[in-house]
Amino acid sequence: MLFIRGYKNDSSLWTVSVGKYRRDRVEVGQVTAQVKQIITHAQYDTRTVANDIALVVLTTPLTFSNVIGPICLPGASQGVNEGEICLLAGWGSTRGTSDQNALNQVALPIISDSTCAQPDWYGLDFSQPDTTFCAGYEAGLKDGCTGDSGGPLICLRNNTWYMQGISSWGYGCAEHKWPGIYTEVNKYTAWIQDEVRKLRNNCAASPIVG
C-alpha cells in the first residue's frame, strides 16, 4: 500500500512509502522514496473538486517484490457498474472501530449516478457525474473517512485488480444517503498515459497515481 507524507505541492517536502501496512513502524520490505515532481490535472478545481487526480514522480524507480506491486489501470471504456462490490483501503479515521495505525479496507457497492443525484442524497452537489461516481451504502455505516482521501478503490475483473476510483470527497463519514464520491479513473486513462509518455520522453521516473 502507498503511504504519502508531505505538504501541499512542494515536491521536496513529500516522500512515498510502499510495502507498508502499519504507519507507526517501518515494515520489512518497505521502501521510502523522495518525490521529484507532482503533476496535478490542469483543470483541477479547488472549489468544486473537479478533476481530482494527480501523479507523483519519484526520484528513484521502484523495484517490485512480494510486498510491492503495481495496480492495473482500467481501459478508457472500462467503467464501474451499479451494485459491483469494490474495496477501499486507507489509514483514515475509524472512529475507534478498528486499529487506527493499521491499513484498513472496506467493501463498498457502486451506487448509480441517478441515485446519488437524487434530492435527498447529494442532489445538485453531485455535479460531475461524467468523471466521478458514488460507492457505499444508503444507510451509511461503512465508508471512507477523514484521511482516506486519495486512497484507491479497487475492483476485481477476471482475476485482475483494477484501480477504478480515487477517494475524493463526501459529506461526513458513513452518513445516511451520503456515500463517498470517487474520481472515475478510467475517464483519465488517456491523460495518465499522455503524462507518462511525456515523462518517458524526458527520461523521468515512473509515476504513481494518487
Side-chain angles (χ1 to χ4, degrees):
M1 175 64 186
L2 169 70
F3 182 67
I4 303 178
R5 183 183 298 278
Y7 182 70
K8 294 186 177 179
N9 285 338
D10 185 347
S11 60
S12 67
L13 300 178
W14 287 80
T15 58
V16 167
S17 294
V18 294
K20 192 171 183 65
Y21 173 70
R22 296 192 62 88
R23 60 180 177 180
D24 57 351
R25 70 187 184 203
V26 176
E27 304 281 359
V28 175
Q30 174 185 324
V31 175
T32 299
Q34 183 67 43
V35 173
K36 178 181 180 180
Q37 182 183 359
I38 301 172
I39 303 171
T40 56
H41 196 282
Q43 278 75 55
Y44 173 65
D45 189 316
T46 57
R47 183 181 62 84
T48 64
V49 205
N51 303 302
D52 188 13
I53 188 171
L55 304 175
V56 296
V57 184
L58 307 181
T59 56
T60 55
L62 297 175
T63 300
F64 296 143
S65 67
N66 63 326
V67 295
I68 300 172
I71 184 72
C72 292
L73 284 176
S77 62
Q78 185 180 318
V80 292
N81 303 302
E82 181 181 3
E84 180 180 14
I85 304 297
C86 300
L87 297 179
L88 172 67
W91 284 278
S93 174
T94 62
R95 294 180 172 178
T97 59
S98 59
D99 189 340
Q100 190 73 47
N101 286 309
L103 178 65
N104 287 287
Q105 70 176 29
V106 61
L108 301 172
I110 305 301
I111 297 172
S112 70
D113 292 346
S114 59
T115 296
C116 209
Q118 289 180 15
D120 57 339
W121 288 60
Y122 277 104
L124 295 177
D125 289 341
F126 183 55
S127 57
Q128 285 94 37
D130 290 340
T131 55
T132 62
F133 63 86
C134 297
Y137 297 88
E138 179 177 352
L141 305 178
K142 296 180 180 181
D143 192 12
C145 199
T146 305
D148 286 321
S149 296
L153 187 77
I154 62 174
C155 307
L156 186 62
R157 309 277 177 78
N158 297 320
N159 296 316
T160 300
W161 288 100
Y162 290 91
M163 186 169 176
Q164 294 288 157
I166 300 170
S167 179
S168 181
W169 66 279
Y171 292 156
C173 301
E175 299 290 343
H176 176 62
K177 293 188 176 181
W178 282 348
I181 295 180
Y182 297 81
T183 300
E184 195 164 0
V185 174
N186 69 290
K187 300 300 178 64
Y188 296 92
T189 298
W191 175 78
I192 294 169
Q193 292 172 337
D194 186 53
E195 293 298 329
V196 170
R197 192 177 301 111
K198 293 176 186 177
L199 290 168
R200 287 175 174 166
N201 289 339
N202 293 328
C203 299
S206 297
I208 294 176
V209 179

